[in-house]
Every structure is written in C-alpha cells, then in structure tokens.
Amino acid sequence: DIQMTQSPSTLSASVGDRVTITCRASQSISAWLAWYQQKPGKAPRLLIYKASSLESGVPSRFSGSGSGTEFTLTISSLQPDDFATYYCQQYKSYYTFGQGTKLESK
Amino acid sequence: QLQLQESGSGLVKPSQTLSLTCAVSGGSISSGAYSWSWIRQPPGKGLEWIGYIYHTGSTYYNPSLESRVTISIDRSKNQFSLKLTSVTAADTAVYYCARGVTAPTYFDYWGQGTVVTVSS
C-alpha cells in the first residue's frame, strides 16, 4: 500500500496569507496526485490533478507542485471561502488519501 | 451538468449487508472514458476508496475490503450499486459515489453522500 501523509494536520491562517500544505508519499508516485477541498457536510471538490493541473473552474490562487514523493498545495492569497479541510490523493497504485489538513481562521 | 445521487438504507444491523445505489444524470454511465467509484468517510475521519467499476462491468476493489465488496452496474437505468457484506460498526460512514477520469484516476464529480449507520 502507498501511504500518504499530510502536514500540518491543522493550519491557522488569516485572509490574505499565503498558505502551503505538504503531502508525502511512502514511495514514488510520479505526478499521480490530486488535491481536494472539503467543507463540513459536503462532498470533496477536485482542485488539482496530475500534481499541478488546475481543474476547470478552480480559482487561480490555488496551485500544486511536486513529483515523486513530495508535493505541495499552495493558496497564494487566502480568501474567506477557502477555510476547509484539504486532502491529497495518490492514484499510482489503487487510490489512497492523506489524513487531511484543516485550514482554520486565525 | 453531471449529477450523482446516492440512495439506500441508512441503518444496517451488524452482520447484515449494506446496499447503496448511485443514480447518474446529465451523462451516460456507458461512456468508456470514465470509471465509477464508491468512497467512504467514517465520522470525523478521512476518505477511503472502496472500489470502482467500468461500463464493461470490470471491477477493481480496495484489497482491504475486497472479500466483502461487490459493485455492479445497470446501464439501462444509468446507475451503479454497492453491496458490502458482514458489516460492523467500523463500516459506519458517509458513503459517496464518484466519477473517475480514465485510469489511473482522480475523481471529478461526486454525489452529495449518504450516511450509513451500522447498529442493532
């Protein structure tokens, strides 16, 4: 199994901040990584696929980078609507998700 | 706009079988470009992929659940279904259906989710 580990588990930030979330894979997954945003009581929403490709309709303040075993999701200027939990997901071998990073208001 | 909608029993007794259906609208489940998955989320926890099915009927399951899972497809009704046998309290979760884009895959459309509680 490929394990996905996100850090931090919780992140406190303010509107306008630049925010970075890290996801590490237990083995190389090339660029087979997606990022999702989930709000309470809602289904996850796809943000990024293939490590750095922005899903249609997702604001350009979201960006992804990385390959191999280390990946980042960056929000360039945090907006009020961005407070949520973020998950990474590998799709190199079957599909596993990180444990999530809760982005909360400072 | 593609929409997915889960339905099924919200309360299942231990040792019994959980059954859910995902109705797809706004697109054909028979498209060869996509796979159709079930994913679950226990209360307060992260996401776990259960398995997926192609329009051909080919299935792929999470090895940790494979012995208890069956996913099937009904092209005439544009829907797919999940059966999970011998459930325990650990199977209590929100269950989502989702569309996967080709393979390997990420999930671009999700249902709203349905709560399933395993309790006597």
Side-chain angles (χ1 to χ4, degrees):
Chain A
D1 284 16
I2 299 177
Q3 307 300 319
M4 307 301 293
T5 304
Q6 290 182 230
S7 59
S9 295
T10 306
L11 180 56
S12 298
S14 301
V15 172
D17 284 354
R18 181 181 180 88
V19 168
T20 297
I21 298 169
T22 297
C23 179
R24 289 186 174 87
S26 60
Q27 60 186 267
S28 177
I29 57 169
S30 185
W32 302 121
L33 185 99
W35 288 97
Y36 301 86
Q37 175 194 68
Q38 187 179 34
K39 295 182 178 180
K42 300 294 187 181
R45 172 196 180 194
L46 176 67
L47 301 174
I48 302 283
Y49 62 93
K50 208 172 180 184
S52 61
S53 296
L54 192 68
E55 172 70 350
S56 175
V58 174
S60 59
R61 63 181 179 274
F62 291 91
S63 63
S65 65
S67 66
T69 61
E70 187 152 337
F71 302 86
T72 59
L73 173 71
T74 299
I75 308 173
S76 60
S77 178
L78 197 63
Q79 298 302 301
D81 190 49
D82 300 338
F83 294 105
T85 300
Y86 293 83
Y87 292 94
C88 60
Q89 176 230 333
Q90 68 81 19
Y91 49 103
K92 170 72 164 55
S93 176
Y94 293 103
Y95 312 111
T96 48
F97 295 84
Q99 82 279 14
T101 294
K102 184 177 182 180
L103 179 53
E104 60 181 26
S105 178
K106 185 183 289 184
Chain B
Q1 177 78 348
L2 191 77
Q3 292 188 324
L4 294 84
Q5 178 67 57
E6 304 91 346
S7 63
S9 54
L11 179 63
V12 183
K13 289 182 167 51
S15 80
Q16 294 192 344
T17 297
L18 177 162
S19 296
L20 297 174
T21 295
C22 180
V24 178
S25 58
S28 174
I29 202 169
S30 297
S31 169
Y34 306 107
S35 60
W36 305 93
S37 276
W38 288 98
I39 296 161
R40 69 181 183 179
Q41 186 170 36
K45 296 188 178 180
L47 299 155
E48 179 180 37
W49 172 72
I50 298 169
Y52 70 71
I53 191 165
Y54 281 113
H55 70 99
T56 57
S58 297
T59 53
Y60 296 85
Y61 301 136
N62 186 324
S64 68
L65 296 168
E66 187 166 14
S67 63
R68 299 195 291 130
V69 174
T70 302
I71 298 176
S72 58
I73 193 167
D74 186 335
R75 297 172 203 80
S76 66
K77 294 183 178 178
N78 217 40
Q79 65 186 33
F80 62 108
S81 299
L82 169 70
K83 290 191 185 300
L84 182 66
T85 62
S86 305
V87 298
T88 69
D91 296 310
T92 294
V94 177
Y95 284 75
Y96 296 99
C97 56
R99 187 180 82 169
V101 181
T102 64
T105 193
Y106 50 90
F107 307 105
D108 62 347
Y109 284 93
W110 295 64
Q112 65 186 25
T114 188
V115 176
V116 177
T117 301
V118 178
S119 175
S120 55

